[in-house]
Amino acid sequence: MALPLPEYDRLDATGMAALVASGELSPRDLLEAALARIDARNPTLNAVVDDLRERAEARVDNLPDGPLKGVPFLLKDLKQHLVGTQVTGGCKLYKGKVSRYTSELSRRYEAAGLQVLGRTNSPEFGIMGITEPELWGPCRNPWNRDHTPGGSSGGSASAVAARMVPVAHGGDGGGSIRIPASACGLVGLKPTRGRVTMSPTLGDAWQGFVQEHVLARTVRDSALLLDIADSEPTIGEPYAAPAKPGPWVDEVGKDPGKLRVAVCRDALFANEQHPDCVAAVDDAAELLRSLGHEVTFATPPFPQSDLVRAYFLTVAAGVACFVEEAAAEAGKKPSFHDFEAGTWMLALIGWKSSAAELEWSRRVIQLAGRGVAAFFEDHDVFLSSTLGRPPARIGELALSAAEELQVQLLRHVAIKPILDFALDQMGKGKMAATPNTQLFNQTGQPGVSLPLMWNDQGLPIGTQFVSRFGDEATLFRLASQLEEARPWRDKVPSMVRP
């Protein structure tokens, strides 16, 4: 069946907004085109889990006259509130609960003219690198529906890759923008710590690991959406990112100059990389050489095992708080039966870990931050693969039946030495698929995943580029240079082709 506005699938958000501004398209044209694609493509992907079309239709003729007026948009089902709508965080205790306020970032998005059409699938509390929550069911990758789109912003990535919307909201606490960007062939930037506000109800999440931004198909869209998010200061912020040098969109297309690029072919938080991921790094390094950049092999110094443990301890403490907040909101005590097994395991670790252990984690991370910052005194960009392997099959990375049984047993005998052992096993096993992103959540540098390669099975293999703290400008300049040299904009999954 032919879908309305055939050109919709090739337009990015910037292009759509330009056509609305010129009068060639109306916000209603874009709304109808987006909803038709959601209706046609979402049933096999399960990317959009909450439909807000009635709200969008009520707004369509009175949208703010902002830089993205009428452009269809989706919010991840985590953290970002819109008054009068639900945000579940993938947790069944929040289903049906309506927000009493609008988050500042959501307000900025809508003030720019974006049309929020719904919410996208996310794992419970965003703690997994896959998107297979019990509440909503698994989300699928448009490039191959037997495979995951990654997580935790998997629903947003799936929807953008399937051209339901040109851009969608995500959050990144351990790679949750960059991981699905890699899996779905998109541009996924994690901004510098403190760049994007969590006002009014949060100062940070996971001790500053989490940064919010978008999944996009083009570098210019990522830059424009960051301009919208990074538009004005807010009071009471716990971190301060360096001020931007000017509009981020002005960095797109600028000559990055001759950059000193450090290349790493190894996994950062694991022991091995899939050959496809190594090939993606080698290919990107050769492309950078051809563009005149200085390429060397180097890796920031960091204590791997200590940082992995510190990462999980920090996340576990945060998850324990999430569980308690959700239970309190529902007027009950935390119960194993109200949460997924993996969530409960992390909550147990959080409850049983000491304040001294959390302080140890904080010191380990801050010391590593100094080492990584010093590394960027001698290098402008760090290059690695985004993932440690190609996108997994649906269900492949979920907890096994044996692991679920172990969690059930632990809820009765949550003995600290056993939980410590479980924590160590998480570090050894669960990082293998996604080992390269967490370091930069811990240390705060901006990083972007770019879709420079597809493997022989037709799955995207993303490449990660990281720059010094506060220096998104270098990433936007380099990313736009790579986008021109190796265009990916017109690569589309077969399910989208006419």
Side-chain angles (χ1 to χ4, degrees):
M1 182 182 70
L3 294 172
L5 203 66
E7 63 267 37
Y8 180 95
D9 287 345
R10 64 175 175 77
L11 291 170
D12 66 353
T14 304
M16 289 182 189
L19 292 175
V20 169
S22 70
E24 295 178 60
L25 289 177
S26 71
R28 187 171 293 277
D29 292 331
L30 293 176
L31 175 61
E32 291 173 354
L35 293 177
R37 283 156 177 80
I38 291 172
D39 290 342
R41 296 167 185 169
N42 192 59
T44 62
L45 296 175
N46 195 31
V48 182
V49 294
D50 192 10
D51 193 319
L52 298 177
R53 70 181 63 200
E54 289 185 7
R55 183 179 182 278
E57 287 167 347
R59 298 177 70 244
V60 69
D61 294 323
N62 296 287
L63 292 169
D65 193 21
L68 288 172
K69 183 177 181 179
V71 173
F73 190 67
L74 293 164
L75 284 174
K76 182 180 179 179
D77 187 29
L78 184 67
K79 289 192 175 67
Q80 285 304 308
H81 289 256
L82 276 180
V83 66
T85 72
Q86 73 171 0
V87 53
T88 74
C91 176
K92 59 189 175 184
L93 290 184
Y94 283 124
K95 190 173 184 183
K97 292 193 176 293
V98 174
S99 296
R100 299 182 294 276
Y101 66 95
T102 293
S103 300
E104 175 61 18
L105 181 57
S106 295
R107 186 198 68 77
R108 292 181 186 188
Y109 285 150
E110 291 204 315
L114 287 167
Q115 266 282 50
V116 178
L117 307 186
R119 290 193 179 274
T120 59
N121 207 340
S122 172
E124 189 169 54
F125 300 134
I127 60 178
M128 299 289 284
I130 53 175
T131 302
E132 302 175 20
E134 293 175 7
L135 176 61
W136 300 120
C139 181
R140 296 179 180 273
N141 192 321
W143 292 94
N144 185 322
R145 282 165 279 186
D146 292 331
H147 290 257
T148 179
S152 64
S153 307
S156 290
S158 179
V160 174
R163 275 44 175 186
M164 297 184 211
V165 293
V167 66
H169 163 253
D172 192 318
S176 289
I177 288 174
R178 289 161 290 160
I179 290 166
S182 176
C184 292
L186 302 173
V187 177
L189 172 76
K190 179 197 79 70
T192 297
R193 176 177 295 151
R195 179 72 69 198
V196 178
T197 186
M198 292 187 176
S199 177
T201 56
L202 287 174
D204 72 1
W206 295 354
Q207 294 195 22
F209 292 2
V210 179
Q211 303 302 311
E212 300 197 71
H213 190 36
V214 297
L215 283 298
R217 287 175 23 230
T218 62
V219 176
R220 67 179 186 175
D221 275 4
S222 185
L224 178 54
L225 267 292
L226 191 58
D227 274 325
I228 289 165
D230 187 21
S231 58
E232 55 188 287
T234 52
I235 60 172
E237 295 294 334
Y239 309 105
K244 60 184 179 181
W248 295 118
V249 290
D250 289 352
E251 303 299 332
V252 177
K254 280 187 178 179
D255 183 356
K258 183 176 182 178
L259 298 175
R260 300 167 298 170
V261 181
V263 177
C264 177
R265 302 172 82 241
D266 300 320
L268 297 181
F269 277 12
N271 295 323
E272 60 182 35
Q273 294 265 79
H274 190 280
D276 286 351
C277 297
V278 177
V281 171
D282 290 343
D283 176 68
E286 188 55 39
L287 178 58
L288 290 167
R289 286 191 191 94
S290 73
L291 293 170
H293 299 294
E294 177 186 316
V295 175
T296 58
F297 290 93
T299 304
F302 63 92
Q304 186 191 81
S305 60
D306 281 354
L307 277 185
V308 170
R309 184 176 181 83
Y311 176 79
F312 279 116
L313 278 170
T314 304
V315 171
V319 171
C321 287
F322 295 160
V323 166
E324 290 176 358
E325 289 169 356
E329 186 81 13
K332 59 198 305 187
K333 292 183 178 180
S335 167
F336 170 81
H337 301 289
D338 290 324
F339 301 93
E340 295 182 19
T343 302
W344 193 254
M345 168 68 85
L346 282 167
L348 286 174
I349 293 170
W351 288 321
K352 293 292 183 177
S353 299
S354 68
E357 287 177 290
L358 197 59
E359 175 65 10
W360 170 85
S361 298
R362 190 179 71 89
R363 291 186 179 187
V364 166
I365 291 166
Q366 290 182 351
L367 185 59
R370 292 193 182 277
V372 172
F375 177 83
F376 282 102
E377 292 293 300
D378 299 318
H379 307 280
D380 300 308
V381 173
F382 174 72
L383 162 65
S384 71
S385 67
T386 308
L387 301 181
R389 54 162 292 173
R393 289 183 173 273
I394 297 292
E396 186 179 349
L397 298 180
L399 289 185
S400 67
E403 289 172 324
E404 295 230 12
L405 178 61
Q406 289 169 8
V407 178
Q408 291 196 42
L409 293 173
L410 278 170
R411 69 191 174 99
H412 299 298
V413 285
I415 302 170
K416 186 67 164 63
I418 298 176
L419 290 172
D420 283 342
F421 176 77
L423 183 66
D424 289 336
Q425 292 305 110
M426 281 184 195
K428 291 175 182 176
K430 297 303 179 187
M431 286 289 190
T434 58
N436 298 327
T437 50
Q438 296 84 2
L439 174 62
F440 305 107
N441 294 90
Q442 292 175 305
T443 59
Q445 282 81 10
V448 64
S449 181
L450 299 179
L452 296 177
M453 192 183 113
W454 274 250
N455 70 8
D456 292 341
Q457 288 72 50
L459 291 168
I461 307 294
T463 312
Q464 177 178 233
F465 299 83
V466 181
S467 61
R468 61 181 57 86
F469 194 89
D471 190 19
E472 285 92 338
T474 291
L475 292 183
F476 283 130
R477 292 176 182 183
L478 177 60
S480 58
Q481 183 185 52
L482 293 170
E483 185 179 35
E484 181 178 357
R486 185 75 63 76
W488 57 73
R489 180 171 174 168
D490 293 329
K491 283 183 174 287
V492 296
S494 60
M495 67 174 293
V496 175
R497 296 172 199 151

